[in-house]
């Protein structure tokens, strides 16, 4: 018996999209003035809900009403190595594509840095970017809007998902969504990163389609009637914004959780023990502490982030 989570939907064969403006990148020009909007999938090769969205939109021949629309399958090579018996492995090949963006001016030594250098000019063109991800653990969806106000504002205008997370990215390396103008307080460029839920849940595809629908219509690049009518879901009654304050990493991979935790669970009391890392207690630093994407419920390698902590703002 495998401990791997079930795969609840069929994966798309994306080889028909290899020939593009660059491999697995397609640029659609409207010929009218307007923003450049980019929809990216497979930044992590085993996060397939976004690939379904991009595959379907390309298959429909979706064209922008104004401006330019860019589609990308980022780490298509990792995706093409997907092995259902070892499904987590195809997240990447040599390294994490989404940690390479701070060193793309250096010579590329990995498949992921070479690919990021191909993708980079398209990311640089984009005024708006939605990067479609999913999660290792069975967590509720969340939108990572970065550290700037305009990211949080765009996430609010989309109206879903309920949880919006403001963060500064990863110490391990810059993400695509923080690259260039997207991370510049003086720029107008805005990027969002959606985590649609567990990678292979059917519900992840529903979330990816809903958020892509909201993003593409909100940016004005297409109209709702251009998109499948059943993609948009009812909006949650409200949204909340969580400011990430801490990232808790396990020193040597010896983290023992105090109990099972849910995604974006709120821990009421400061000083609550979340677990022990190498025998040292890890506690919540303030009241009403939100556990952002807790990975505490499974074995982790040394240095891996166990959970991020945040405040409701
Ligand atoms: Zn991801």
């Amino acid at each position: 018996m495998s401990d791997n989570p079930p795969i609840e939907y069929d994966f798309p064969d994306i080889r028909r999209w290899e020939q593009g403006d660059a491999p697995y990148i397609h640029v659609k020009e409207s010929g009218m003035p307007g923003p450049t909007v980019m929809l990216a999938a497979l930044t992590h090769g085993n996060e397939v809900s976004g690939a379904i969205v991009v595959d379907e939109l390309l298959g429909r021949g979706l064209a922008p009403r104004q401006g330019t629309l860019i589609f990308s399958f980022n780490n298509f090579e990792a995706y093409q190595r997907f092995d259902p018996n070892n499904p987590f492995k195809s997240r990447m090949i040599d390294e994490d594509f989404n940690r390479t963006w701070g060193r793309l001016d250096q010579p590329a030594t990995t498949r992921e840095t070479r690919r990021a250098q191909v993708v980079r000019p398209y990311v640089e063109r984009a005024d708006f970017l939605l990067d479609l991800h999913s999660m290792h653990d069975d967590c509720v969806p969340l939108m990572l809007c970065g550290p700037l106000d305009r990211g949080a504002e765009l996430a609010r205008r989309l109206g879903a998902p309920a949880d919006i997370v403001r963060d500064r990215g990863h110490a391990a390396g810059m993400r695509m969504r923080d690259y260039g103008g997207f991370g510049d307080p003086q720029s107008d460029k805005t990027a969002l990163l959606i985590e649609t839920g567990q990678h292979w849940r059917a519900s992840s595809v529903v979330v990816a389609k809903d958020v892509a629908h909201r993003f593409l219509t909100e940016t004005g690049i297409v109209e709702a009637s251009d998109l499948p009518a059943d993609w948009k879901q009812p909006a949650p009654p409200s949204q909340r914004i969580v400011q990430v304050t801490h990232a808790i990493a396990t020193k040597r991979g010896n983290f023992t959780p105090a109990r099972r935790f849910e995604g974006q669970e709120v821990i009421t009391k400061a000083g609550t023990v979340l677990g022990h890392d190498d025998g040292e207690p890890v506690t919540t630093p303030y009241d009403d502490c939100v556990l952002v994407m807790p990975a505490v419920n499974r074995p982790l390698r040394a240095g891996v982030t166990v959970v991020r902590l945040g405040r409701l703002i």
Side-chain angles (χ1 to χ4, degrees), residues 71-144:
F71 295 105
S72 176
F73 298 99
N74 282 344
N75 202 342
F76 66 89
E77 278 188 275
Y79 174 62
Q80 287 166 343
R81 294 178 184 209
F82 185 84
D83 174 1
N85 296 311
N86 196 2
F88 291 105
K89 190 168 190 298
S90 60
R91 175 181 172 82
M92 62 185 88
I93 300 174
D94 299 327
E95 65 170 321
D96 188 334
F97 177 90
N98 213 28
R99 304 288 180 271
T100 63
W101 290 78
R103 46 190 164 84
L104 294 185
D105 49 353
Q106 296 166 24
T109 56
T110 64
R111 287 176 183 80
E112 278 80 8
T113 45
R114 280 196 289 280
R115 178 62 178 164
Q117 287 180 349
V118 172
V119 176
R120 171 167 60 173
Y122 302 95
V123 173
E124 286 174 341
R125 277 180 71 181
D127 299 301
F128 296 97
L129 166 69
L130 178 64
D131 192 14
L132 295 151
H133 288 246
S134 55
M135 297 141 141
H136 187 297
D137 299 286
D138 237 337
C139 289
V140 292
L142 60 85
M143 185 73 89
L144 287 171

Side-chain angles (χ1 to χ4, degrees), residues 56-263:
E56 283 200 28
L57 293 179
L58 282 168
R60 293 171 66 92
L62 183 71
R65 298 270 181 160
Q66 53 163 338
T68 302
L69 180 55
I70 302 175
F71 295 105
S72 176
F73 298 99
N74 282 344
N75 202 342
F76 66 89
E77 278 188 275
Y79 174 62
Q80 287 166 343
R81 294 178 184 209
F82 185 84
D83 174 1
N85 296 311
N86 196 2
F88 291 105
K89 190 168 190 298
S90 60
R91 175 181 172 82
M92 62 185 88
I93 300 174
D94 299 327
E95 65 170 321
D96 188 334
F97 177 90
N98 213 28
R99 304 288 180 271
T100 63
W101 290 78
R103 46 190 164 84
L104 294 185
D105 49 353
Q106 296 166 24
T109 56
T110 64
R111 287 176 183 80
E112 278 80 8
T113 45
R114 280 196 289 280
R115 178 62 178 164
Q117 287 180 349
V118 172
V119 176
R120 171 167 60 173
Y122 302 95
V123 173
E124 286 174 341
R125 277 180 71 181
D127 299 301
F128 296 97
L129 166 69
L130 178 64
D131 192 14
L132 295 151
H133 288 246
S134 55
M135 297 141 141
H136 187 297
D137 299 286
D138 237 337
C139 289
V140 292
L142 60 85
M143 185 73 89
L144 287 171
C145 67
L148 302 172
D149 287 343
R150 60 180 193 270
E153 286 158 10
L154 179 58
R156 276 215 182 276
R157 290 203 299 280
L158 298 196
D163 283 340
I164 301 168
V165 174
R166 289 182 72 142
D167 73 337
R168 295 186 183 288
H170 292 275
M174 187 187 287
R175 299 174 297 196
M176 183 175 70
R177 65 128 289 119
D178 300 310
Y179 179 74
F182 297 127
D184 179 356
Q186 307 305 320
S187 170
D188 289 327
K189 291 172 181 264
T190 306
L192 295 173
L193 188 164
I194 180 71
E195 299 277 7
T196 58
Q198 206 284 334
H199 300 322
W200 310 305
R201 286 272 184 216
S203 60
S204 263
V205 177
V206 174
V207 172
K209 289 177 172 177
D210 178 42
V211 171
H213 186 293
R214 291 167 182 276
F215 172 77
L216 292 171
T217 52
E218 175 59 34
T219 55
I221 197 80
V222 299
E223 293 177 8
S225 59
D226 300 328
L227 297 167
D230 59 351
W231 279 22
K232 192 165 175 187
Q233 302 297 314
S238 62
Q239 290 175 293
R240 57 181 189 172
I241 300 184
V242 179
Q243 175 72 56
V244 171
T245 58
H246 298 68
I248 309 291
T250 172
K251 286 189 206 97
R252 297 194 300 156
N254 292 330
F255 185 87
T256 318
R259 62 172 171 81
R260 190 182 170 83
F261 293 100
E262 303 302 325

Side-chain angles (χ1 to χ4, degrees), residues 21 47 165:
D21 296 81
E47 301 181 358
V165 174

